[in-house]
Structures are given as structure tokens and as C-alpha cells.
Amino acid sequence: MTGPTVASTGPGPMPGTDPRESARIVAGECHRLPFLPELPGRGPGSDQAGRTLAMLVDLPVDVSPRGWRLSDSRGRLARVAADLLDRDSDALEEADEQAREPDTPPSDSDRFLQVRVTGPWSLAAGLELPGGLPALTDRGARRDLASSLAEGVASRTVRLAGRLRAGSRVVLDEPMLWRVAAGTVPAPSHFDPVAAVPTERLVLALSRFADTLRAAGVDQVLLRPPTTAAPDSPQLFSAFAETPRGETPLDGLVLEAEPLYAARAHDALDAAGAVLGDGRILQLEGIAETDRPGDTGAGVERAASALFALLDRVGAPRYESLSHLVLTPTIRRVTTDEHSAVRALAAARRVAEAAPRLAE
């Protein structure tokens, strides 16, 4: 009987400017759960916002003095972002083929490609209408943006996952979620404040957005809420770990591990326990780390012990919960330089591989 396995992957961003080198690292260290690398070091259009906007369907964007804006035609930087996305996808497919063993089966039901995109609420909060206000202020624009985003993300992700002979997983990164809920999204003028969106509407919309992605072929949809909160924008982790009545739950949450280990984020701990209790996925960014995580057997054991302590704290059975866990390094640790990225991804992989044995 096969025991549980813990997955490991990367958070998304990678250092440097060479998509082939980043793809080679991902294929080597994250074969079971490869991710599409982001290379923000290449400049505007290469960051997460540019990557996500490049996936929109029939909704052109251009740049404004403050950022990205809806437009009548696709601007030069938007075309650059789309070209870079194509190059990154091709590089990952090439690296995956080179890393694949000759006797590897045509497909593997336990293997997924993970793609991180900006979620619909944060995208609407950061994208301007032609008049300068955030798209969040216009219900019709929000609806069109969400529809375009779902179609483009699903098409891109499912197609690339098929090329890698893997399932597809989308992480909806919502860095502005607490601000959207609190009504503190920045506006061009104090005379045009952005109204708060009720938490119930946010949760319901994300659940239905995930349904749209799944209907278009995406296998799993995870939510990455903000890792920090401000006094005027309190965190609401538990609300997004729950599922509105009659709706399909999100497949899991992506949470930063360090506050959970330190037991400072009680609401996040409750959310982590709820997700694991439902048998959903909990992706932890930043395994238990010292200065050099996982470099030795002792380091791996310390990291695994901290992981087990976290499971105990949230009331999740150690052994049974392992198959629902995904470990990743923090963004800070993987974006320092290529050498640090390799070490961080390798450390997460080693802890993931050792955890089932150490939990027995």
C-alpha cells in the first residue's frame, strides 16, 4: 500500500532574465509539481501583473502614468508581455522534455502544472478604466474583466499542462483582497473613493470564478490571500477558507508559513485547519527554516518537526494530512539569485520527501 506524499514546488517568481535557465531549474527540482516561472527582472511586462494581463482575451490594455489601463487597442508593452509569456511557456516545455526519463508514461494523474495569476478582485483593483478610476468601481467592467481573465487563464494553463502531460492547477493570487474588502483600495482622487465590497460577495465571486475555470478544463484552483494586513485593512483568512452554501469549494489555500509557525496569525491558523479538515490543499510558503534550510539530514528533520508541530497546532492528523500539503520556499528566498533559488527549491523537495518517513 502506497503511503502519503508531500508535494513541493515554487511560489512563481524566479531570479535572472533567462527563461531557459529558470525552466531548467524548475524541471530539475519540481518535476512532480512544475510551475510556470515569472522573471520580473526582465522589466515591465514580465511581472505577475503583466503576465496575467497578457492572458486576457479580447480585452486590450496599455500603460498609463500610474500602471496598466484598459484601452481600445493593445499597447506595445502589452504585446511584449504576451511575447514573453509565450517564450516562458516554450522554455518550460523544452526543459520538461529534456528532464523526462525515456520510459516516463505519456501522462501522470498525480502530476500538475501550477500557474500563478493575479486574481479577479486584485486585477480589478489595480487596472484602470480609460478615465483613470480602478476597474473595481464599475460593475460592468468587473464582469467583463473576470470573464476575459477566466477564458484566457484556462486556455493558456490547460494547453501548457497538456504539452507537459500533466494536470492543471491555477493559483489565484489576491494581494489586494483585504483592501477590497475594507474599501481602502487607492484611488486617483479623494473625491472618488473606492467603495468596500462585502466579504460575502468576494467569497461567492471567487467560488464561481473557480467554477468557470474548472468548466474550461482547469483541474484545481487555489487562493493565495495577502500575507500581511494593515490596520485599515484587517485580514479575513477564515472567511475565505469557508464555502458559501450550495457552492463548490476552492481546492485550497496558499499561506505564508512563518506567521503560522510563530502562532501569531490565529485567523490564518483557523483557516489552515479548516482547509485540511475538509481534505483540501494547503500550500505553505516558507518551510520551517533556519539560515540554510535542508542542507543536512538534521536540517531536514528540524524542518519536518516544525511542520508536524504546525499540524498539531491546527488539529490536523499528521500522517493523513501529508498528502494535502504542498511546500514551497518564500519568494524572497528564491529571487535572490539562481544559486539561492536552486538551494531553496531543493530544500523544499527534500523536506517533502522526508516528511512521510519521519511522520511514521
Side-chain angles (χ1 to χ4, degrees), residues 129-332:
L129 298 169
L133 289 174
L136 185 64
T137 61
D138 186 303
R139 180 172 296 182
R142 290 203 313 261
R143 182 178 59 249
D144 292 345
L145 183 60
S147 176
S148 174
L149 178 65
E151 181 180 352
V153 168
S155 175
R156 286 272 190 175
T157 303
V158 172
R159 187 166 64 247
L160 181 56
R163 289 158 61 184
L164 270 61
R165 292 177 278 184
S168 53
R169 175 183 293 174
V170 170
V171 172
L172 300 176
D173 192 359
E174 288 280 8
M176 297 291 288
L177 198 56
W178 304 159
R179 286 185 172 274
V180 173
T184 58
V185 172
S189 168
H190 292 297
F191 297 103
D192 296 298
V194 180
V197 180
T199 303
E200 296 78 11
R201 187 186 302 172
L202 294 174
V203 176
L204 180 61
L206 285 170
S207 294
R208 293 182 175 175
F209 185 83
D211 283 341
T212 303
L213 291 176
R214 295 192 198 96
V218 174
D219 294 303
Q220 298 174 343
V221 184
L222 276 61
L223 173 66
R224 183 181 187 267
T227 56
T228 59
D232 60 351
S233 308
Q235 58 192 23
L236 303 165
F237 290 103
S238 293
F240 291 90
E242 299 170 358
T243 304
R245 183 183 299 273
E247 301 295 327
T248 305
L250 293 167
D251 294 288
L253 288 182
V254 181
L255 300 177
E256 186 175 339
E258 194 275 333
L260 300 179
Y261 287 128
R264 295 198 305 266
H266 298 291
D267 192 45
L269 280 168
D270 291 342
V275 167
L276 290 175
D278 292 341
R280 293 184 282 158
I281 299 165
L282 177 63
Q283 183 162 312
L284 296 171
E285 288 187 0
I287 57 174
E289 296 172 337
T290 54
D291 291 335
R292 296 184 177 181
D295 284 355
T296 66
V300 169
E301 291 188 9
R302 285 194 300 271
S305 295
L307 179 62
F308 300 148
L310 174 60
L311 293 177
D312 293 342
R313 189 175 297 140
V314 301
R318 289 187 180 185
Y319 198 71
E320 292 80 359
S321 299
L322 293 180
S323 59
H324 302 293
L325 292 177
V326 179
L327 305 182
T328 86
T330 59
I331 292 176
R332 175 185 59 81

